[in-house]
Amino acid sequence: AHQTGLPLRIFRHAPLGALRPGCTAGSSARASHRFAAVGLFARRLSTVATRPLSTLLVEEEHARDEPPSSHEPLSSSLELPHSSHVHGHGRKLCSMGTGEVVHILAWQAKDEGSIPDFERRVQGIARKLHDMEAGVSDVRVCHPRCGEATFVITVVSSFESQRFESQIAPQIAHALRDVSLAGTPTFRRAGTLMPQAHSLSSLLAQLQKQVGGSSHAEHDIAGVKNEIGKWFPRREEYEQYIHWDEHNPEKYTRNLIFSSEKMEVLLMCWPAHVRSAIHCHGQSSCWVASVEGQVHEVQYQMPTMDRKFRDLMNGSSTPGAVGRCGPLKVSNVVALGLPDSPMDSYANNDIGVHRLENRTDLPAITLHVYAPPLHKMSIYREAGDYSIASVGKVTYMSEGGNRTGRWGKDTDPDGIIDVEKWNSE
């Protein structure tokens, strides 16, 4: 509408019946070359059934010719879904959604005398569209005025979208060609259904509402994970929190975005081929999300502690203390940020301990949510038939985007205090 100078009118969902009662040619005497576009916040409404998409046949009395071939396109200008919503991390906004594709086709009668026949044909097409089930998740027909109709069909995948383009849209065009303006739709568009996605600020606001309690046992783990999964990272939102260690390019860095009594949110920056120490989370929950690049989370069963170290796990432990425990056994490996892999993960001490690894030649960035905040943690080192355990003190390279001044060339990102003792045990 902006490009043509024609008025744009936005309509809410019309009832499935689509046609207004009492619609006559006389009531549209001032019909002009205007068209209706649809402002649609589509949603899935119907269930999968059995009738194939290809069974839609426009069988109205007016059909004087054979229907067009199933390979005949509606119009060369009808755009199929494309991958325009892509940012630096390579993720596509619409790939976070259901994968449904919305098709919008707006038609207008060619003149006042064509309105009665146009209305009759639209009524028949609408009835057939509402009968479609297989491959279709929603059908809407908007009827803003006599002589105008907009079909909004949502299909479940890009495959079904191609079927709609090749089989159904040409039949609609064939049915309306001789009674419509220029014989083509006045507006046409197809695109992936956009998901409800968080910005970084809206995600932080939601987490402040949703996360509370003094232990992971009090958390809505799946609910928080779901909200984090809705975040679509845009680099301009988090770039101020990206900091690298100029003294040692092999160190990962911990950068605080937000902190409260209930939780803290960090951005961690991982150089190529860098990994964290194996560590636990005390009573905290740990949600992790891939932001840029690819990382692997390696999960281990919680090892058996010796009597000396048990006291270090009860919350009264002193940073730097070192003890021993049993061997560490891998229980699971989760790839984050790879094609067709999860974008987020979760850990707590009931699940076990874990480490993150960047196994690639490129840097990676991850978002971490700890609730309650993780000020110290037990860390572990594999030593053959047994393991070394210590209590680390968490340090941040930056807070709120600004360097803290507490991160130097000797700072250990895992929080190891007595490095000499840690290495000698």
Side-chain angles (χ1 to χ4, degrees):
H2 176 73
Q3 295 173 344
T4 61
L6 298 176
L8 175 66
R9 293 186 288 160
I10 306 298
F11 299 93
R12 296 185 181 273
H13 296 310
L16 297 183
L19 293 179
R20 290 178 178 173
C23 194
T24 65
S27 66
S28 58
R30 291 184 298 275
S32 62
H33 291 178
R34 295 185 295 175
F35 66 89
V38 175
L40 176 67
F41 294 90
R43 63 183 185 274
R44 303 182 68 177
L45 293 178
S46 54
T47 57
V48 177
T50 56
R51 191 174 183 195
L53 185 67
S54 57
T55 57
L56 175 68
L57 297 174
V58 182
E59 302 167 340
E60 302 302 320
E61 300 175 4
H62 65 270
R64 294 183 293 272
D65 304 310
E66 290 298 318
S69 165
S70 63
H71 300 290
E72 178 185 345
L74 174 63
S75 169
S76 60
S77 64
L78 182 57
E79 297 184 16
L80 294 176
H82 53 82
S83 305
S84 62
H85 309 301
V86 182
H87 288 266
H89 47 64
R91 195 179 309 178
K92 302 174 185 177
L93 174 58
C94 290
S95 71
M96 298 168 61
T98 63
E100 293 168 283
V101 182
V102 181
H103 290 261
I104 302 175
L105 302 172
W107 291 82
Q108 181 179 328
K110 66 180 179 180
D111 52 39
E112 182 179 346
S114 301
I115 289 177
D117 200 17
F118 177 88
E119 291 290 323
R120 180 173 58 82
R121 299 186 191 187
V122 164
Q123 180 179 349
I125 293 170
R127 186 179 71 251
K128 295 291 184 178
L129 289 174
H130 286 303
D131 284 343
M132 293 195 308
E133 294 177 336
V136 176
S137 58
D138 191 32
V139 173
R140 302 280 165 155
V141 181
C142 297
H143 191 243
R145 57 183 293 167
C146 293
E148 295 179 4
T150 301
F151 305 105
V152 184
I153 299 91
T154 306
V155 295
V156 298
S157 66
S158 58
F159 172 77
E160 298 295 347
S161 175
Q162 295 289 345
R163 293 181 64 198
F164 179 87
E165 290 295 336
S166 65
Q167 300 178 26
I168 306 306
Q171 297 186 54
I172 296 174
H174 177 74
L176 297 176
R177 186 169 296 145
D178 61 332
V179 294
S180 60
L181 187 65
T184 61
T186 55
F187 178 85
R188 70 202 77 183
R189 210 57 156 184
T192 308
L193 195 62
M194 182 176 288
Q196 182 187 30
H198 275 303
S199 64
L200 181 57
S201 59
S202 70
L203 173 61
L204 293 176
Q206 178 62 33
L207 292 178
Q208 291 177 65
K209 297 177 182 177
Q210 196 164 351
V211 177
S214 59
S215 165
H216 60 77
E218 301 176 56
H219 295 151
D220 177 7
I221 295 170
V224 174
K225 190 172 185 292
N226 180 61
E227 294 299 330
I228 294 173
K230 292 179 182 178
W231 179 40
F232 181 67
R234 299 181 185 272
R235 210 170 208 269
E236 62 268 23
E237 292 185 319
Y238 60 83
E239 191 161 24
Q240 62 178 311
Y241 307 112
I242 299 175
H243 294 277
W244 304 96
D245 191 322
E246 62 273 16
H247 302 294
N248 187 346
E250 295 183 355
K251 285 184 183 179
Y252 74 91
T253 64
R254 305 167 60 86
N255 304 280
L256 187 65
I257 297 175
F258 172 86
S259 181
S260 69
E261 293 181 358
K262 297 179 179 179
M263 69 171 182
E264 62 182 2
V265 181
L266 279 73
L267 198 72
M268 294 194 187
C269 302
W270 304 87
H273 302 290
V274 166
R275 65 184 188 179
S276 73
I278 302 168
H279 59 276
C280 78
H281 302 95
Q283 294 299 310
S284 297
S285 281
C286 170
W287 292 271
V288 182
S290 171
V291 179
E292 292 186 19
Q294 304 169 357
V295 296
H296 284 75
E297 180 196 21
V298 183
Q299 299 173 348
Y300 300 81
Q301 297 175 13
M302 180 65 75
T304 302
M305 311 297 173
D306 65 10
R307 296 174 66 181
K308 174 184 175 181
F309 198 71
R310 288 176 188 172
D311 290 341
L312 303 179
M313 299 292 291
N314 64 7
S316 60
S317 52
T318 302
V322 176
R324 295 192 179 193
C325 57
L328 291 158
K329 300 178 181 179
V330 175
S331 58
N332 193 25
V333 179
V334 181
L336 302 178
L338 279 69
D340 301 320
S341 73
M343 300 304 294
D344 49 66
S345 184
Y346 174 81
N348 64 38
N349 279 12
D350 288 347
I351 295 173
V353 297
H354 77 172
R355 74 161 16 128
L356 288 183
E357 303 176 351
N358 181 358
R359 300 178 177 180
T360 74
D361 297 328
L362 299 173
I365 297 174
T366 53
L367 183 83
H368 298 245
V369 178
Y370 298 110
L374 191 64
H375 298 304
K376 57 186 177 181
M377 60 186 178
S378 297
I379 51 181
Y380 306 86
R381 177 167 60 85
E382 297 167 291
D385 293 336
Y386 66 98
S387 301
I388 307 300
S390 182
V391 179
K393 183 178 181 180
V394 173
T395 303
Y396 307 119
M397 168 168 268
S398 68
E399 296 180 4
N402 300 312
R403 295 288 186 103
T404 62
R406 300 190 299 272
W407 187 289
K409 63 179 182 178
D410 297 323
T411 300
D412 189 288
D414 293 314
I416 298 174
I417 303 299
D418 191 338
V419 177
E420 183 177 348
K421 185 175 183 182
W422 169 259
N423 291 330
S424 65
E425 284 285 339

